[in-house]
Amino acid sequence: MGVQSLVVACGAVALCLALTTATNPGFVVRITQAGLDYANQQGIAILQKELAQLKLPDISDKSGKVRYQLSRLRLRDFHLPYSRITPISNVGLQVSISNAFAELDGDWRVKLRFVRAHGSFNLKVENVYIKISLRLGRDAAGKPTVSTSECSAHISKVRVRFSGRLGWLYNLFHRAIESRLRKTLESKICGIVDKSVRNELQKFVQTLPVTARIDAKTGIDYSLVAAPRATAQFLDAGLKGEFYSLAHRSTVPFSPLPLALPSDHDRMVYFGASSYFFNTAGIAYHEAGALVFEITEDMIPKDVGFSLDTSLFSAFIPQLEEMYPNMPVKFRLSTPTAPFLTIGPGGISLNPIVEAQAYAILPNSSLAPLFLLSLTGNVSAVINVRSGRIVGSLDVGRIRLSLKDSAVGTFEVRTIQSLMNILTSKILLPRLNARLDEGFPLPLLDRIQLSNILVRFYQNFLLLGADVHFQPRG
Ligand SMILES: *[C@@H]1O[C@H](CO)[C@@H](O)[C@H](O)[C@H]1NC(C)=O
Ligand SMILES: *[C@@H]1O[C@H](CO)[C@@H](O)[C@H](O)[C@H]1NC(C)=O
């Protein structure tokens, strides 16, 4: 951004702050050399096809006294057997293609004084070197961009073979033709490269879902916070990595901490998901009102041997049953604040506070509040990746109860400890885990599948590693 546009943007103070505050990503995608090698294979296969479609114009020229004309120039094939993509620190990516070769057919026609001749020819092009520099950026929507910043093509060997009569004529002009075709090809190759980068590669990287709608209530913002950055070993893309409520997106009251990925490189791609990423999920679901859960009689499994009504409490809270004899009871569980988790080398842990309000359901269906409990407990999470999505499941340690409010007099909360254990472990948790098992989408480009998953925990972030498979259209 130029100084001028910065000044303009700073006219609005809020924008100026947004521009000057360094933004740590909440989510980092890292592509290793193994990933670049795989991308290279896929990309080169496409470029090879594009180059084979290369169209050459007819050529007519003079070499000494010989007038010649080349027409119907057709590339038979173009082979790119050796190529490599390397990240260049703070520049981008460099693609080096060496020892490429191609073959070309065409018709020739010459005129030397009164002699006219014509025939066909075949041109073998060898030792083709192509060097391409790719610049990576991000557009206004936070999607990645890629463009060719440099391209050079050099052909060091061409051999032409003519068929037709008057062989002696060939010697008069084959050098001219070879050099002419070499130059023409060299100049066309970079045009094709540029076109492929614009039409294929750029379109492909733009398939990054920068806003991933997850369900009816929330989405994830995966927009790039800065242009992808190349180091000597990796290509890193810092994404916002923030969940938000679709109905009302509010500013997250904390920022992501810097995310220092380890220098692992045996997988093609690594994802660093910060605690910020997960904690904004908590905020988004809390704000969307999705962290409210009701437990009613019909949800009680048959095997637990009780039904959820006021008689259940007769032994511990006798006055409850006296006030509301034989009435169904329901619990309404909610989180007074968004749950907050921490990630450390030992895994993910959270200590959410859940409030459980018990109601008696009166014969006319209105609800009579009975008591309000506060539930706390250590929750641990297991994380995995399936079908390009982060999936998880939670486990709860011992639940601690405290009585916050009661309309039925005080009582010892430990008397209903086992009831609350059953409600959380048999009803709440399985339903929550069923949702977590559906997972949340990772920021993947179109037609990319992951395999060979690795999951590891570090201070403040979760590291996911994977190999990539590109599913061709088809
Ligand atoms: C339902 O019944 C209760 C107690 O009999 C009463 O206080 C309440 O007003 C009733 N509610 C409605 C909506 O009729
Ligand atoms: C809960 O977690 C805290 C800290 O994370 C730990 O000190 C405590 O022992 C845990 N309690 C249980 C019951 O697991």
Side-chain angles (χ1 to χ4, degrees):
M1 168 163 313
V3 172
Q4 202 160 5
S5 51
L6 190 65
V7 171
V8 172
C10 286
V13 176
L15 250 181
C16 186
L17 284 176
L19 288 170
T20 49
T21 310
T23 321
N24 285 324
F27 198 101
V28 171
V29 180
R30 167 169 288 179
I31 302 171
T32 62
Q33 186 61 55
L36 291 173
D37 290 346
Y38 183 75
N40 182 44
Q41 269 177 35
Q42 305 296 320
I44 288 295
I46 292 171
L47 182 60
Q48 189 166 277
K49 272 192 208 137
E50 297 284 325
L51 283 172
Q53 306 290 316
L54 203 154
K55 295 271 180 300
L56 291 171
D58 291 359
I59 297 171
S60 42
D61 207 345
K62 239 167 80 171
S63 165
K65 294 209 159 54
V66 185
R67 286 202 154 278
Y68 66 88
Q69 194 183 52
L70 308 176
S71 59
R72 303 200 332 119
L73 302 171
R74 301 169 300 274
L75 261 180
R76 244 196 232 173
D77 46 31
F78 214 119
H79 295 279
L80 308 174
Y82 306 104
S83 61
R84 185 164 168 82
I85 303 185
T86 33
I88 307 289
S89 244
N90 297 318
V91 174
L93 295 172
Q94 183 169 293
V95 186
S96 317
I97 299 169
S98 56
N99 291 315
F101 57 95
E103 207 169 323
L104 183 101
D105 295 319
D107 295 343
W108 62 271
R109 185 175 289 279
V110 299
K111 200 169 118 189
L112 171 63
R113 294 197 192 91
F114 307 108
V115 184
R116 284 161 196 269
H118 63 90
S120 61
F121 72 92
N122 168 272
L123 185 80
K124 280 194 162 45
V125 182
E126 285 165 12
N127 299 354
V128 184
Y129 293 86
I130 309 171
K131 204 159 124 186
I132 307 158
S133 298
L134 298 174
R135 190 193 299 121
L136 302 158
R138 103 183 139 138
D139 67 11
K143 288 192 181 239
T145 59
V146 57
S147 58
T148 318
S149 56
E150 254 179 72
C151 174
S152 62
H154 179 71
I155 300 170
S156 59
K157 198 168 162 195
V158 286
R159 278 184 298 135
V160 68
R161 220 182 58 233
F162 296 96
S163 57
R165 295 182 304 113
L166 304 178
W168 58 270
L169 256 177
Y170 310 152
N171 293 329
L172 295 179
F173 70 105
H174 81 93
R175 273 184 207 291
I177 287 186
E178 283 171 356
S179 127
R180 186 64 196 261
L181 284 172
R182 182 167 66 78
K183 292 215 175 75
T184 308
L185 264 175
E186 282 176 350
S187 73
K188 289 277 177 192
I189 287 172
C190 284
I192 296 280
V193 166
D194 195 45
K195 199 171 130 232
S196 297
V197 168
R198 265 183 292 120
N199 293 352
E200 309 276 342
L201 192 54
Q202 164 79 355
K203 268 199 195 127
F204 180 59
V205 300
Q206 291 256 310
T207 62
L208 181 79
V210 294
T211 48
R213 192 193 158 102
I214 306 168
D215 49 38
K217 293 185 165 152
T218 55
I220 308 179
D221 183 342
Y222 277 134
S223 58
L224 288 165
V225 297
R229 200 174 64 87
T231 64
Q233 285 93 34
F234 306 113
L235 184 66
D236 281 355
L239 314 182
K240 197 156 181 67
E242 185 180 299
F243 283 72
Y244 59 93
S245 158
L246 296 180
H248 169 71
R249 184 168 184 174
S250 61
T251 312
V252 179
F254 45 83
S255 313
L257 293 167
L259 218 158
L261 263 53
S263 56
D264 297 32
H265 56 259
D266 53 335
R267 297 295 200 281
M268 294 181 185
V269 62
Y270 289 92
F271 301 99
S274 66
S275 44
Y276 177 86
F277 175 74
F278 294 102
N279 282 325
T280 58
I283 293 177
Y285 280 100
H286 178 73
E287 279 184 354
L291 300 183
V292 175
F293 189 75
E294 295 200 333
I295 298 179
T296 47
E297 161 64 24
D298 55 313
M299 295 177 176
I300 307 292
K302 295 284 163 283
D303 65 350
V304 303
F306 64 74
S307 53
L308 197 55
D309 59 40
T310 50
S311 68
L312 187 58
F313 301 91
S314 57
F316 335 116
I317 323 170
Q319 62 276 28
L320 190 159
E321 211 202 354
E322 280 161 31
M323 290 166 78
Y324 303 104
N326 289 316
M327 290 181 196
V329 165
K330 98 169 173 186
F331 279 93
R332 187 169 190 273
L333 274 50
S334 62
T335 47
T337 56
F340 193 85
L341 60 73
T342 52
I343 305 179
I348 291 186
S349 63
L350 60 156
N351 297 277
I353 298 170
V354 175
E355 286 183 349
Q357 172 69 54
Y359 297 97
I361 304 174
L362 303 186
N364 65 6
S365 304
S366 54
L367 299 175
L370 301 176
F371 53 83
L372 175 66
L373 296 170
S374 175
L375 282 62
T376 56
N378 287 359
V379 177
S380 59
V382 176
I383 302 276
N384 205 346
V385 171
R386 202 179 55 235
S387 306
R389 299 167 78 85
I390 302 182
V391 298
S393 72
L394 300 178
D395 200 9
V396 184
R398 210 176 73 83
I399 294 166
R400 292 176 295 279
L401 302 179
S402 59
L403 186 63
K404 305 266 290 185
D405 194 15
S406 174
V408 290
T410 58
F411 58 92
E412 285 286 334
V413 285
R414 67 183 160 76
T415 57
I416 56 169
Q417 176 81 50
S418 59
L419 169 67
M420 297 316 291
N421 284 350
I422 291 170
L423 296 186
T424 47
S425 67
K426 297 239 177 192
I427 299 169
L428 176 62
L429 216 50
R431 284 170 168 78
L432 203 53
N433 282 337
R435 171 61 190 94
L436 292 175
D437 194 56
E438 287 169 26
F440 305 97
L442 284 166
L444 296 180
L445 300 178
D446 222 12
R447 292 177 284 144
I448 289 290
Q449 290 170 353
L450 302 178
S451 61
N452 209 8
I453 305 293
L454 163 152
V455 179
R456 270 204 247 125
F457 297 96
Y458 290 87
Q459 199 59 44
N460 286 320
F461 70 95
L462 164 70
L463 182 77
L464 303 170
D467 284 335
V468 161
H469 178 73
F470 177 68
Q471 190 71 51
R473 230 187 286 272

